[in-house]
């Protein structure tokens, strides 16, 4: 989904080194994001465009944090989303779907950075409207904090990736238990009779 790829552009080393990277500052990463989601802006971003995208990311992250905590998004943040989406008008058209039915298609009216911001905001709003707010998650690994939508059947996903963050946290819990148990005296042996 566009919104979570975008929010996760603020990368943290999930292994705990403390390293972070703002991938919006990397032109190659931004180009890849745009290509993956079929957006081809007419010009490279200015510093102002990147600053606006970072402000949008902060708003989206605030909304997702509230949803992940089981809270309602702040009305001011929803107002900011509306303002961003207003900056990206769409053209409506009708087309035939593969099953023969007709469908309404929405196409961006422009190829500029405010349009991209509107598409990102709309992708989050679409997930909020069509999905379940209780499925928005933030990885339980405190070093990671990756944002995702839990699409598992039982809604129990705690980590962005069970093989990476899940295994790392399992090892950390094991080591913490082992360390906590090492301060205890060794078990006594029963005396022979």
């Amino acid at each position: 989904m566009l919104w979570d790829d975008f929010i996760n552009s603020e990368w943290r080393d999930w292994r705990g080194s403390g390293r972070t990277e703002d991938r919006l500052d990397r032109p190659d990463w931004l180009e890849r994001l745009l290509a993956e989601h079929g957006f081809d802006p007419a010009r490279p971003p200015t510093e102002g465009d990147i600053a606006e995208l970072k402000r949008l990311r902060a708003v989206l992250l605030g909304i997702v944090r509230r949803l992940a905590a089981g809270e309602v998004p702040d009305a001011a943040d929803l107002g900011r989303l509306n303002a961003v989406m207003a900056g990206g008008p769409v053209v409506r058209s009708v087309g035939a779907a593969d099953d023969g039915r007709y469908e309404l298609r929405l196409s961006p009216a422009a190829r500029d950075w405010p349009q991209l911001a509107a598409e990102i905001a709309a992708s989050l709003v679409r997930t909020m409207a069509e999905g379940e707010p209780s499925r928005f998650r933030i990885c339980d690994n405190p070093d990671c904090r990756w944002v995702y939508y839990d699409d598992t059947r039982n809604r129990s996903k705690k980590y962005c990736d069970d093989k990476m963050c899940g295994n790392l946290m399992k090892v950390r819990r094991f080591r913490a238990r082992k360390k906590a148990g090492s301060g205890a005296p060794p078990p006594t042996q029963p005396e022979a009779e």
Side-chain angles (χ1 to χ4, degrees), residues 69-89:
E71 300 171 3
V72 176
D74 185 65
D77 286 341
L78 295 179
R80 288 183 192 103
L81 281 185
N82 284 331
V84 168
M85 289 188 293

Side-chain angles (χ1 to χ4, degrees), residues 38-42 87-91 107-116 119:
F39 196 81
D40 182 26
V90 294
V91 175
S107 303
R111 292 182 20 211
D112 58 10
W113 294 96
Q115 184 74 48
L116 172 64
E119 296 300 321

Side-chain angles (χ1 to χ4, degrees), residues 63-74:
I63 290 170
V64 170
R65 282 183 176 146
R66 290 185 74 106
L67 291 170
E71 300 171 3
V72 176
D74 185 65

Side-chain angles (χ1 to χ4, degrees), residues 38-58:
F39 196 81
D40 182 26
R43 61 170 175 76
T46 65
E47 287 182 23
D49 295 326
I50 297 296
E52 284 298 319
L53 289 174
K54 289 179 181 183
R55 280 191 279 279
L56 173 61
R57 182 178 61 197

Side-chain angles (χ1 to χ4, degrees), residues 60-190:
L60 297 181
L61 183 56
I63 290 170
V64 170
R65 282 183 176 146
R66 290 185 74 106
L67 291 170
E71 300 171 3
V72 176
D74 185 65
D77 286 341
L78 295 179
R80 288 183 192 103
L81 281 185
N82 284 331
V84 168
M85 289 188 293
V90 294
V91 175
R92 291 169 185 81
S93 61
V94 64
D98 292 338
D99 63 2
R101 298 182 341 185
Y102 294 100
E103 63 184 10
L104 176 64
R105 296 181 182 157
L106 305 175
S107 303
R111 292 182 20 211
D112 58 10
W113 294 96
Q115 184 74 48
L116 172 64
E119 296 300 321
I120 293 167
S123 72
L124 175 65
V125 171
R126 190 174 305 111
T127 304
M128 290 167 58
E130 296 172 0
E132 297 175 43
S134 63
R135 289 181 176 263
F136 284 87
R137 301 276 193 274
I138 298 175
C139 184
D140 274 0
N141 176 353
D143 294 316
C144 176
R145 309 308 293 159
W146 196 262
V147 172
Y148 62 95
Y149 185 81
D150 181 3
D151 56 2
T152 61
R153 186 178 313 145
N154 64 2
R155 301 177 184 153
S156 63
K157 189 172 179 176
K158 294 174 69 169
Y159 303 104
C160 62
D161 186 304
D162 289 334
K163 289 181 177 49
M164 293 167 53
C165 284
N167 283 345
L168 178 70
M169 296 307 293
K170 188 185 301 182
V171 168
R172 285 181 182 172
R173 285 190 304 272
F174 172 79
R175 288 180 179 164
R177 281 192 309 272
K178 190 172 181 177
K179 185 177 180 179
S182 68
T188 59
Q189 297 283 333

